[in-house]
Amino acid sequence: MTEDATLDPHAAQVLALIRMAQRPAYETVTAPDGSLPLLTPMSEVAGRMAVQVGAQYLQQATGGRGVLLGGVAGVAPAKVVVIGAGVAGSNAVQMAHGLRADVTAIDRSIPRLRELDAQFHGTVRTLFSTSDAIESAVAEADLVIGAVLLPGAAAPKLVSSAMIQRMRPGSVVVDVAIDQGGCFETSRPTTHAAPTYTVDGVIHYCVTNMPGAVPRTSTFALNNATLPYARALADKGWERASTENRGLAAGLNVVRGAIVHPAVAEALGLASAA
Amino acid sequence: MTEDATLDPHAAQVLALIRMAQRPAYETVTAPDGSLPLLTPMSEVAGRMAVQVGAQYLQQATGGRGVLLGGVAGVAPAKVVVIGAGVAGSNAVQMAHGLRADVTAIDRSIPRLRELDAQFHGTVRTLFSTSDAIESAVAEADLVIGAVLLPGAAAPKLVSSAMIQRMRPGSVVVDVAIDQGGCFETSRPTTHAAPTYTVDGVIHYCVTNMPGAVPRTSTFALNNATLPYARALADKGWERASTENRGLAAGLNVVRGAIVHPAVAEALGLASAA
Amino acid sequence: MTEDATLDPHAAQVLALIRMAQRPAYETVTAPDGSLPLLTPMSEVAGRMAVQVGAQYLQQATGGRGVLLGGVAGVAPAKVVVIGAGVAGSNAVQMAHGLRADVTAIDRSIPRLRELDAQFHGTVRTLFSTSDAIESAVAEADLVIGAVLLPGAAAPKLVSSAMIQRMRPGSVVVDVAIDQGGCFETSRPTTHAAPTYTVDGVIHYCVTNMPGAVPRTSTFALNNATLPYARALADKGWERASTENRGLAAGLNVVRGAIVHPAVAEALGLASAA
Amino acid sequence: MTEDATLDPHAAQVLALIRMAQRPAYETVTAPDGSLPLLTPMSEVAGRMAVQVGAQYLQQATGGRGVLLGGVAGVAPAKVVVIGAGVAGSNAVQMAHGLRADVTAIDRSIPRLRELDAQFHGTVRTLFSTSDAIESAVAEADLVIGAVLLPGAAAPKLVSSAMIQRMRPGSVVVDVAIDQGGCFETSRPTTHAAPTYTVDGVIHYCVTNMPGAVPRTSTFALNNATLPYARALADKGWERASTENRGLAAGLNVVRGAIVHPAVAEALGLASAA
Amino acid sequence: MTEDATLDPHAAQVLALIRMAQRPAYETVTAPDGSLPLLTPMSEVAGRMAVQVGAQYLQQATGGRGVLLGGVAGVAPAKVVVIGAGVAGSNAVQMAHGLRADVTAIDRSIPRLRELDAQFHGTVRTLFSTSDAIESAVAEADLVIGAVLLPGAAAPKLVSSAMIQRMRPGSVVVDVAIDQGGCFETSRPTTHAAPTYTVDGVIHYCVTNMPGAVPRTSTFALNNATLPYARALADKGWERASTENRGLAAGLNVVRGAIVHPAVAEALGLASAA
Amino acid sequence: MTEDATLDPHAAQVLALIRMAQRPAYETVTAPDGSLPLLTPMSEVAGRMAVQVGAQYLQQATGGRGVLLGGVAGVAPAKVVVIGAGVAGSNAVQMAHGLRADVTAIDRSIPRLRELDAQFHGTVRTLFSTSDAIESAVAEADLVIGAVLLPGAAAPKLVSSAMIQRMRPGSVVVDVAIDQGGCFETSRPTTHAAPTYTVDGVIHYCVTNMPGAVPRTSTFALNNATLPYARALADKGWERASTENRGLAAGLNVVRGAIVHPAVAEALGLASAA
């Protein structure tokens, strides 16, 4: 993020503090309802961006199949499959639906799928996540967006190399979960400078820090989300702030050299110090 | 229609006149814009009914595949294909969309498809009518609604026996065009008393006069549409009324024993007397 | 349900276990938020089906009033009243709204009504449940759907015989709560083979196990919902699984011959063993 | 209109010309498709305003019934009846629907009702205009908006004194057609200074020149609509402009002292000079 | 509220009890989820009314800018800013959106803004509440609705006199929070008899008890909400009812002369007796 | 277009004929209602693509302002201005609205703006085209899409260099009218290989033949549209086909060496041979 300058000075100073020393992880600060208020805005941005990025790489000039997401009257739209209907996934669904694609959302939480069904009045296909469902949906897709994010842990590899192989040449996959290791077996991190590579004819977009492409929007979003925490940290210091706010404490990964977050420890193959 | 009693006496008397003697055909009276104002309400009713009839016969008790049109969250909806996006077809599309099915509308008029695309904000798949498009859509459909109506002429047989054969057992077809001969090769007229028969495992609903199933709605609709014409006929007699209103004249099929409507003549294999 | 074959073998085996011996009741397994994850999909299916069944029996051939749910332009739509806006009820509301009926939803939970009001942007009339509200809404309705379900307990009789008597001949009532005894005083269980009977000119559809009419959809829905529980039961046995998951334990009605579920005991007039 | 100052000088000068001498009537200038481009924006404004005015006078402080147009969750909304679904009427429908009232639109054109039905996806009740339909709708209404405008001619009195008498005390009627004489039998012109009067307990709002209440919006709207005509008049003079543009010629009511517009002549009980 | 007569006698009697003696405050009775079930309906009514009141005072006759909230095609709509997106605020948003204004909702809860964004499919602008955001939004607004309500406590003054000064003459502010002191620095309570006053050219509508303008709707809404509590109070007496229902106890402000509600005590500058 | 191979052989052969010899111009073949059936699908594709291209170049990596079109909850969306609301423009509006941008559509046809207003229920801002309106809208825009296409004639330069200069650095303009010369003064044709250049900090995307980026979608769309004409040309030859179909004749620009299309002649500075 290059636009800290747009943060107000108070917040900027605190963000610097946050990044320093104790490395509390944005992505594990927890709200009372279990959600992740500092990760959420970045997931929203990444989920929304995933669709426009996918649309872009489906163009022929970049090696894509040459299809327009929404088709036009008389020509069927492209098929977009979104795996994971959490924050990132449901934002991707919104945008793909907005561009008039044929959208399928897959998740293992039926209540989450019910919310999508209600929100879109049944105009988004919702599928319970089984390997069969994923396999057949991916095989027919023009664009697959992987958006399975588990807080602080590695993303599960829900789409195998074999599934990628069965996709049509020029199809596109966007891995929003790449920061947690990715949810395609064929994913490996890329950068905004060299954002894609091709495996078996399928274009892979696996840029880490996707929100960095739209820093103006991302910074405002992050600023909004961190302000209350930043104020608490600045006013009280990290120790007292973390003591008084268990959600903020959950954001501490490393305290005086020891890994204290259980999922991080587990992901690194260590027993948790917690 | 058994509820003429609900018409006001003036209209009822005139309707009797209409049916009598000169047999002006409801279905060929023409509005200044070329539409068919007396046929339209019946097509609306039939198109809307087609979906609820289709939903009913997809139930297992009546031999259907046992699928719910809209599915539920996590389970994909049924696929409904509507062939013909005129009045009957677009009303069928509305209802299938309202029941949250996966809807495909096929028509040979791209402007008509554009209107559907705009009206449903892209949530109904529109396909230009080619035999390929029809064939592949029908093969995957749970419910096919045939709604290709040409004014006063025989409907084209757009779905062949071979296509029906490739549908899954327990699928349903509803032929809204049966009054003009039907648009499935396998269609033959049925009645409200015995509405369906099965060909190659596919349930056929081909009831002529579908609006007769909901006479209260149909009579009001027809009454609304005929009132202006009825008044003109009652006030002026059919000869003067037809002379003054070319659209009404277009409703005359048989005048003093001669077939005067070109499409009717052509359908019967006769040269038109017009 | 006749299509266990579509379940994967693992799940099928576990379902057999579930049905056996200890008879844990699907309808009382409880999620952490108090909802009933195994009952919910069946309520969704039944609620959605209720509308298409109602539309069907309003046709004249089956003795109905002969009205089309959505009417057509210029002719008022039918009036649908849904009593109970829980899972079944709100799914019925969705479908009735989708078919363009004039829909009234009645519930005693104002927050639930608010959710409906927001979801449908005010296009569904919501009424707080009082006997007055029910009485006057029912008197004018073409179709009443009873969807008041209390977990494991008898449904309250919110619509009296007197109210049924005041409905117009050919109106239809569908009792989705019939499995818990029904919420119309005039309800008695029927079957898919003989689904309806008439009281005071009002057609009653009170089929127990409505989802059995669309087994393909229902089985997938149930399969999705049970999979996590089935895996736990298979891996751990019912005793350990129930111990570790209080929601699953809540699904146990009978343990070694004793009724352990309080609502079941109460419904049967017994003191609970719990 | 008090804000001609906001018009650009060129247009203002031309408008002055228009108002002068030959008195071409805004309300009868005709577009190639038969619509009235200079009347239309004023009808849009008046139709939209009619609903907010109606909402205002339904408040108790101004003698109204004390109902909120949209009700709230659990409390039924107010009933709004819009008679006439042309430009003014359909704009009133939009706003009443937007405020979540229970809206009925009545018109004698079924195609127009079909357009409303499609536009609002069936969430506005459409009724074919018969005296029965009007009578029973008005009797139950909280707010009736009369919006039957015939170009240059007197509005028909579709709502009689007797119908007004049967409305509930504190109900409101807004007569958008008052500039053409009004479509309630009880209507008489009022002003922005004294906008309402009461007949049989029913509040009447019959302000002529309703758009004058929102001059900023109205002037922009009128300015937009007149600009092309104004330019033609300024560049060519009224005689040549009217000769070259038959629609503009249709706006001439009085030429050198003779009434030339047939509907105006008829409304004044004169034979047309045309 | 003047229409207690419309309450059923049982409820009316209990309401009288409630108002008497112990003065439990409607606005602090608390539901298990922390919401305020007796305040909510009044906030809904006030929020919805705020928009129609704002539209009314924007008319020129009452000193307003003369703009129509929704504009018309070709003329930009008015800008409505709603500060606070709780119950009152989100109801105001709904109505302003329904009248086709350009709507901005400001709140300090991002999850709440997300819900609005999802509900309106992104067609309402949502802004995180900072003083900058409020200042620049207010400066451009035609109508500002202040809807920041804190349970039982004074509303924060989010809009300063300086911000009001920068608004255009004839703009309107409606302070829904006036019962808690108002959220504009320039607010002071007014009545339905003299509802507005002007500061720096900006019309202020600060009527306390806004729902009193639509008593029919408000009474039904309140009746619905209080019924369960009223029954408990009547059956058990206030002491036992309050003991058994902690939410009802939270509604007690004054017990035997002592202020027991902490926020009330704090607002009055007293230490809480609780 | 590189995928003629996907056309059926019959159509491909005819297309070759079309391109040959007489050079009938796709873009001037006219339907009976005056629309341009062969140009329309390409305009639809280009209009829809314009938004996704704009979103892409607003990313920071390509020099853009770094904003996400739809923003996220709490962060305002980007401002998209679409100049021209014909086929290309209204498709651009649809997509920008679908991506949840803040959309303004500008056109000189008020009826066209009314259609947009109705279609999007007032959630797209519509402005009558004046140079003032364009100037102020462009100055605040993040993305401007120029979509003013006049059949067979040069596009008017509605956006001047000075207006471009006042835009913020990193803003993007997409000129869909570039094939007719473009509607920005600063436009010059680019290619898919080098699609953009920057003027005064504003990124210009002016690729001619935009639909070539999505050839699969474009070819199907064009194939659908040309099929009827192709069949007529193949069956009858161009001379007879053009004689019998005046719309097809309108597609002839050059007949035996003489320019016969008036707009083409005028654009080239020649008197028309027609």
Side-chain angles (χ1 to χ4, degrees):
Chain A
M1 210 70 47
T2 64
E3 295 212 2
D4 278 7
T6 70
L7 293 169
D8 64 63
H10 186 82
Q13 170 191 355
V14 177
L15 276 178
L17 277 172
I18 297 179
R19 285 176 187 139
M20 228 178 44
Q22 304 301 336
R23 300 182 38 216
Y26 271 13
E27 58 270 33
T28 55
V29 172
T30 313
D33 66 353
S35 68
L36 303 164
L38 302 192
L39 185 59
T40 300
M42 295 304 95
S43 294
E44 283 179 297
V45 170
R48 292 185 171 202
M49 266 193 66
V51 173
Q52 71 187 48
V53 162
Q56 169 185 348
Y57 287 101
L58 280 168
Q59 295 179 23
Q60 198 181 45
T62 47
R65 290 194 73 219
V67 297
L68 186 65
L69 272 200
V72 291
V75 179
K79 293 188 177 178
V80 177
V81 173
V82 179
I83 305 176
V87 176
S90 60
N91 275 276
V93 164
Q94 285 170 7
M95 294 301 128
H97 180 264
L99 287 178
R100 307 195 167 189
D102 176 321
V103 188
T104 300
I106 301 179
D107 201 282
R108 63 177 182 176
S109 162
I110 303 180
R112 190 68 204 91
L113 295 178
R114 257 174 220 133
E115 287 172 22
L116 281 185
D117 191 54
Q119 187 182 349
F120 293 100
H121 291 87
T123 61
V124 163
R125 195 181 296 107
T126 60
L127 293 182
F128 181 69
S129 181
T130 63
S131 50
D132 277 7
I134 292 174
E135 187 165 351
S136 60
V138 166
E140 295 201 347
D142 295 284
L143 169 61
V144 179
I145 294 170
V148 180
L149 292 155
L150 305 179
K157 303 286 182 194
L158 294 176
V159 177
S160 66
S161 295
M163 292 183 197
I164 293 288
Q165 222 165 1
R166 277 192 289 278
M167 292 180 74
R168 282 171 299 207
S171 300
V172 175
V173 300
V174 176
D175 197 337
V176 181
I178 191 67
D179 290 310
Q180 269 80 41
C183 51
F184 301 97
E185 201 183 352
T186 48
S187 294
R188 51 183 167 78
T190 61
T191 63
H192 286 298
T196 64
Y197 59 92
T198 299
V199 175
D200 289 323
V202 175
I203 300 168
H204 286 58
Y205 179 98
C206 304
V207 172
T208 55
N209 185 22
M210 283 178 69
V214 286
R216 183 171 294 269
T217 300
S218 299
T219 305
F220 278 114
L222 197 58
N223 204 358
N224 293 345
T226 54
L227 209 55
Y229 296 93
R231 287 204 175 120
L233 286 166
D235 293 349
K236 304 178 179 174
W238 73 263
E239 284 180 312
R240 190 177 133 221
S242 299
T243 305
E244 290 179 14
N245 182 332
R246 295 182 58 79
L248 191 54
L252 297 180
N253 287 355
V254 181
V255 172
R256 298 197 178 86
I259 293 172
V260 298
H261 194 284
V264 173
E266 194 181 322
L268 295 174
L270 302 172
S272 163
Chain B
M1 207 69 48
T2 63
E3 294 211 1
D4 278 9
T6 71
L7 293 169
D8 64 62
H10 185 83
Q13 170 191 356
V14 177
L15 276 177
L17 276 172
I18 296 177
R19 285 175 185 142
M20 229 179 42
Q22 304 302 335
R23 301 182 36 215
Y26 270 14
E27 59 269 34
T28 55
V29 171
T30 313
D33 66 355
S35 69
L36 304 164
L38 302 192
L39 185 59
T40 299
M42 295 304 95
S43 294
E44 284 179 297
V45 170
R48 293 185 171 201
M49 266 193 65
V51 173
Q52 70 187 49
V53 162
Q56 168 185 348
Y57 287 101
L58 279 168
Q59 294 180 22
Q60 197 181 45
T62 46
R65 292 194 72 220
V67 297
L68 187 65
L69 272 200
V72 291
V75 179
K79 294 189 176 177
V80 177
V81 173
V82 179
I83 305 176
V87 176
S90 60
N91 275 276
V93 165
Q94 285 171 6
M95 294 300 128
H97 180 264
L99 287 178
R100 307 194 166 190
D102 176 322
V103 188
T104 300
I106 300 179
D107 201 281
R108 62 178 183 177
S109 161
I110 303 179
R112 190 67 204 92
L113 296 178
R114 256 175 221 133
E115 287 172 22
L116 281 185
D117 192 53
Q119 187 183 349
F120 293 100
H121 291 87
T123 60
V124 162
R125 195 180 297 107
T126 59
L127 294 181
F128 181 69
S129 181
T130 63
S131 49
D132 277 7
I134 292 174
E135 186 166 350
S136 60
V138 166
E140 294 202 348
D142 295 284
L143 169 61
V144 180
I145 294 171
V148 180
L149 292 155
L150 304 180
K157 302 287 182 194
L158 294 175
V159 177
S160 67
S161 294
M163 291 183 198
I164 293 289
Q165 222 165 1
R166 276 193 289 278
M167 293 181 73
R168 281 171 300 206
S171 300
V172 174
V173 300
V174 175
D175 198 337
V176 179
I178 192 67
D179 290 310
Q180 270 80 42
C183 51
F184 300 98
E185 200 183 353
T186 47
S187 293
R188 52 182 166 79
T190 60
T191 64
H192 286 298
T196 64
Y197 59 94
T198 299
V199 175
D200 288 324
V202 176
I203 301 169
H204 286 58
Y205 178 98
C206 305
V207 171
T208 55
N209 186 22
M210 283 178 68
V214 286
R216 181 172 295 267
T217 300
S218 299
T219 305
F220 278 114
L222 197 58
N223 205 357
N224 293 345
T226 54
L227 209 55
Y229 297 93
R231 286 202 175 121
L233 287 166
D235 292 349
K236 305 178 178 176
W238 72 264
E239 284 181 311
R240 191 178 134 219
S242 299
T243 305
E244 290 179 13
N245 183 332
R246 294 182 58 80
L248 190 54
L252 297 180
N253 286 355
V254 181
V255 172
R256 296 198 178 88
I259 292 171
V260 298
H261 194 285
V264 173
E266 194 181 322
L268 296 174
L270 302 173
S272 163
Chain C
M1 208 69 47
T2 64
E3 294 213 2
D4 278 9
T6 71
L7 293 168
D8 64 62
H10 186 82
Q13 170 190 355
V14 177
L15 275 177
L17 276 171
I18 296 178
R19 285 175 186 141
M20 228 178 45
Q22 303 302 336
R23 301 182 38 216
Y26 271 14
E27 58 270 32
T28 55
V29 171
T30 313
D33 66 353
S35 69
L36 303 164
L38 303 192
L39 185 60
T40 299
M42 295 305 94
S43 294
E44 284 178 296
V45 170
R48 293 185 172 202
M49 265 193 66
V51 174
Q52 70 186 48
V53 162
Q56 168 185 349
Y57 286 102
L58 280 168
Q59 294 178 23
Q60 197 181 47
T62 47
R65 290 193 73 220
V67 297
L68 186 65
L69 272 199
V72 291
V75 179
K79 294 189 175 177
V80 177
V81 173
V82 179
I83 305 175
V87 176
S90 61
N91 276 274
V93 165
Q94 286 170 7
M95 294 301 128
H97 180 264
L99 286 178
R100 308 194 167 190
D102 176 321
V103 188
T104 300
I106 300 178
D107 201 281
R108 61 177 183 178
S109 161
I110 303 179
R112 189 68 204 90
L113 295 178
R114 257 174 220 134
E115 287 172 22
L116 280 184
D117 191 53
Q119 187 183 348
F120 293 100
H121 291 87
T123 60
V124 162
R125 194 180 297 108
T126 60
L127 294 181
F128 181 68
S129 181
T130 63
S131 49
D132 277 7
I134 293 175
E135 186 165 351
S136 60
V138 165
E140 294 202 348
D142 295 285
L143 169 61
V144 179
I145 294 172
V148 180
L149 291 155
L150 304 180
K157 302 287 182 196
L158 294 175
V159 178
S160 67
S161 294
M163 292 183 197
I164 293 288
Q165 221 165 2
R166 276 192 288 279
M167 293 180 72
R168 281 171 300 206
S171 300
V172 175
V173 299
V174 176
D175 198 336
V176 180
I178 191 66
D179 290 311
Q180 269 81 42
C183 51
F184 300 97
E185 200 183 352
T186 47
S187 294
R188 53 181 166 80
T190 61
T191 63
H192 286 298
T196 64
Y197 59 93
T198 299
V199 175
D200 288 324
V202 176
I203 302 169
H204 286 58
Y205 179 98
C206 305
V207 171
T208 56
N209 186 22
M210 282 177 68
V214 287
R216 181 171 294 269
T217 299
S218 299
T219 305
F220 277 114
L222 197 58
N223 204 358
N224 292 345
T226 54
L227 209 56
Y229 296 92
R231 286 202 175 122
L233 287 166
D235 292 350
K236 304 178 177 175
W238 72 263
E239 284 181 311
R240 190 176 135 220
S242 299
T243 305
E244 290 180 12
N245 183 332
R246 296 182 57 82
L248 190 54
L252 297 180
N253 287 355
V254 182
V255 172
R256 296 197 178 90
I259 293 171
V260 298
H261 193 283
V264 173
E266 195 181 322
L268 296 174
L270 301 172
S272 164
Chain D
M1 208 69 48
T2 65
E3 294 211 1
D4 278 9
T6 71
L7 293 168
D8 66 62
H10 186 83
Q13 170 191 355
V14 176
L15 276 177
L17 276 171
I18 295 178
R19 286 176 185 141
M20 228 179 45
Q22 304 303 336
R23 303 184 34 219
Y26 271 14
E27 58 270 33
T28 55
V29 171
T30 314
D33 65 355
S35 68
L36 303 164
L38 301 192
L39 184 59
T40 300
M42 295 304 95
S43 294
E44 284 178 297
V45 170
R48 292 185 172 202
M49 266 192 65
V51 173
Q52 70 187 48
V53 162
Q56 169 185 348
Y57 287 101
L58 279 169
Q59 295 180 23
Q60 198 182 43
T62 46
R65 290 194 72 220
V67 297
L68 186 65
L69 272 200
V72 291
V75 179
K79 295 189 175 177
V80 177
V81 173
V82 180
I83 305 177
V87 176
S90 60
N91 275 275
V93 165
Q94 285 170 7
M95 294 302 128
H97 181 264
L99 287 179
R100 305 193 167 191
D102 176 322
V103 189
T104 300
I106 301 179
D107 201 282
R108 63 177 183 178
S109 161
I110 303 179
R112 190 67 205 91
L113 296 178
R114 257 175 219 132
E115 287 172 21
L116 281 186
D117 191 53
Q119 186 183 349
F120 293 100
H121 291 87
T123 61
V124 162
R125 194 181 297 107
T126 59
L127 293 183
F128 181 69
S129 181
T130 63
S131 50
D132 277 6
I134 291 175
E135 186 165 352
S136 60
V138 166
E140 296 202 347
D142 295 285
L143 170 61
V144 179
I145 294 170
V148 179
L149 293 155
L150 304 180
K157 302 286 183 196
L158 294 175
V159 177
S160 67
S161 294
M163 291 184 198
I164 293 288
Q165 222 165 1
R166 276 193 289 278
M167 293 180 73
R168 282 172 299 207
S171 300
V172 175
V173 301
V174 176
D175 197 337
V176 180
I178 191 68
D179 289 310
Q180 269 80 41
C183 51
F184 300 98
E185 201 183 353
T186 48
S187 295
R188 50 182 168 80
T190 61
T191 64
H192 286 298
T196 63
Y197 59 91
T198 299
V199 175
D200 289 323
V202 176
I203 301 169
H204 286 58
Y205 179 98
C206 305
V207 172
T208 55
N209 186 23
M210 283 178 69
V214 286
R216 182 171 294 269
T217 300
S218 299
T219 305
F220 277 114
L222 197 59
N223 205 359
N224 293 345
T226 54
L227 209 56
Y229 297 92
R231 287 204 175 120
L233 287 166
D235 292 350
K236 305 178 177 175
W238 73 264
E239 284 181 311
R240 190 177 135 220
S242 298
T243 306
E244 290 179 13
N245 182 332
R246 295 182 56 80
L248 191 53
L252 298 179
N253 287 355
V254 181
V255 172
R256 298 197 176 88
I259 293 171
V260 298
H261 194 284
V264 173
E266 195 181 322
L268 296 174
L270 302 172
S272 163
Chain E
M1 207 70 44
T2 65
E3 294 212 1
D4 279 8
T6 72
L7 293 169
D8 65 62
H10 185 83
Q13 170 192 354
V14 176
L15 275 178
L17 276 172
I18 296 178
R19 286 175 187 141
M20 228 179 45
Q22 304 303 337
R23 300 180 39 214
Y26 270 14
E27 58 270 32
T28 54
V29 171
T30 314
D33 66 353
S35 68
L36 303 164
L38 302 192
L39 186 60
T40 300
M42 294 305 93
S43 294
E44 284 178 296
V45 169
R48 292 185 171 200
M49 264 193 66
V51 174
Q52 71 187 47
V53 162
Q56 169 185 349
Y57 286 102
L58 280 168
Q59 295 180 24
Q60 198 182 44
T62 47
R65 291 192 71 220
V67 298
L68 186 66
L69 273 200
V72 291
V75 180
K79 293 189 177 178
V80 177
V81 173
V82 180
I83 305 177
V87 175
S90 60
N91 275 275
V93 165
Q94 286 170 6
M95 294 301 128
H97 180 264
L99 287 178
R100 306 193 167 191
D102 177 320
V103 188
T104 299
I106 299 180
D107 201 281
R108 62 179 183 175
S109 162
I110 304 179
R112 189 69 204 91
L113 296 177
R114 256 174 222 133
E115 288 172 22
L116 280 185
D117 192 53
Q119 186 183 348
F120 293 100
H121 291 88
T123 60
V124 162
R125 194 180 297 106
T126 60
L127 294 182
F128 181 69
S129 180
T130 64
S131 50
D132 277 6
I134 292 174
E135 185 165 352
S136 60
V138 166
E140 294 201 347
D142 295 284
L143 169 62
V144 179
I145 294 170
V148 180
L149 292 155
L150 304 180
K157 302 286 182 196
L158 295 176
V159 178
S160 67
S161 295
M163 292 184 197
I164 293 289
Q165 221 164 3
R166 276 193 290 278
M167 293 181 72
R168 283 172 299 207
S171 300
V172 176
V173 299
V174 176
D175 198 337
V176 181
I178 191 67
D179 290 310
Q180 269 80 41
C183 50
F184 300 97
E185 200 183 353
T186 48
S187 294
R188 51 179 168 81
T190 61
T191 63
H192 286 298
T196 64
Y197 58 93
T198 299
V199 175
D200 288 324
V202 175
I203 301 168
H204 286 58
Y205 178 99
C206 305
V207 172
T208 56
N209 186 22
M210 283 178 69
V214 287
R216 181 171 295 269
T217 299
S218 299
T219 305
F220 278 114
L222 197 58
N223 204 358
N224 292 345
T226 54
L227 209 55
Y229 296 92
R231 287 203 176 121
L233 286 167
D235 292 349
K236 304 180 179 174
W238 73 263
E239 284 180 310
R240 189 176 136 220
S242 299
T243 306
E244 290 179 13
N245 183 332
R246 294 183 58 82
L248 190 55
L252 296 181
N253 286 356
V254 181
V255 171
R256 298 199 176 86
I259 293 171
V260 298
H261 193 283
V264 173
E266 195 182 320
L268 295 174
L270 302 172
S272 164
Chain F
M1 208 68 48
T2 65
E3 293 212 2
D4 279 8
T6 72
L7 293 169
D8 66 62
H10 186 83
Q13 171 190 355
V14 177
L15 276 178
L17 276 171
I18 295 178
R19 286 178 186 138
M20 227 180 44
Q22 304 303 336
R23 301 184 35 217
Y26 270 14
E27 60 269 32
T28 54
V29 171
T30 314
D33 66 354
S35 69
L36 304 163
L38 302 192
L39 184 60
T40 299
M42 294 305 93
S43 294
E44 284 178 298
V45 169
R48 293 185 171 202
M49 266 193 65
V51 174
Q52 70 187 48
V53 162
Q56 169 185 349
Y57 286 102
L58 280 169
Q59 295 180 23
Q60 197 180 46
T62 47
R65 292 192 70 219
V67 297
L68 186 65
L69 272 200
V72 291
V75 180
K79 294 189 176 177
V80 177
V81 173
V82 179
I83 305 176
V87 176
S90 60
N91 275 275
V93 166
Q94 286 170 6
M95 294 301 127
H97 180 265
L99 286 178
R100 306 192 167 191
D102 177 321
V103 188
T104 299
I106 300 178
D107 201 281
R108 62 177 183 176
S109 161
I110 303 179
R112 190 67 204 92
L113 295 178
R114 257 174 221 133
E115 287 172 22
L116 281 184
D117 192 53
Q119 187 183 348
F120 293 100
H121 291 88
T123 60
V124 162
R125 193 181 298 106
T126 60
L127 294 181
F128 181 69
S129 181
T130 63
S131 49
D132 277 6
I134 293 174
E135 186 166 351
S136 60
V138 166
E140 296 202 347
D142 295 284
L143 169 61
V144 179
I145 294 171
V148 180
L149 292 155
L150 304 179
K157 301 287 182 195
L158 295 176
V159 178
S160 67
S161 294
M163 293 183 197
I164 294 288
Q165 222 165 0
R166 276 193 290 278
M167 293 180 73
R168 283 172 299 207
S171 300
V172 174
V173 300
V174 176
D175 197 337
V176 180
I178 191 68
D179 290 310
Q180 269 81 41
C183 50
F184 300 98
E185 200 183 353
T186 48
S187 294
R188 51 182 167 80
T190 60
T191 63
H192 286 297
T196 64
Y197 60 91
T198 298
V199 175
D200 289 323
V202 175
I203 301 168
H204 286 57
Y205 179 98
C206 305
V207 171
T208 55
N209 186 22
M210 283 179 68
V214 286
R216 182 172 294 269
T217 300
S218 299
T219 305
F220 277 114
L222 197 57
N223 205 358
N224 292 345
T226 54
L227 209 55
Y229 297 93
R231 287 204 174 118
L233 287 166
D235 292 349
K236 304 178 179 174
W238 73 265
E239 285 181 310
R240 192 178 132 217
S242 298
T243 305
E244 290 179 13
N245 183 332
R246 295 182 57 81
L248 191 54
L252 297 179
N253 287 355
V254 182
V255 172
R256 296 198 178 87
I259 293 171
V260 297
H261 193 283
V264 173
E266 195 181 323
L268 295 174
L270 302 172
S272 163

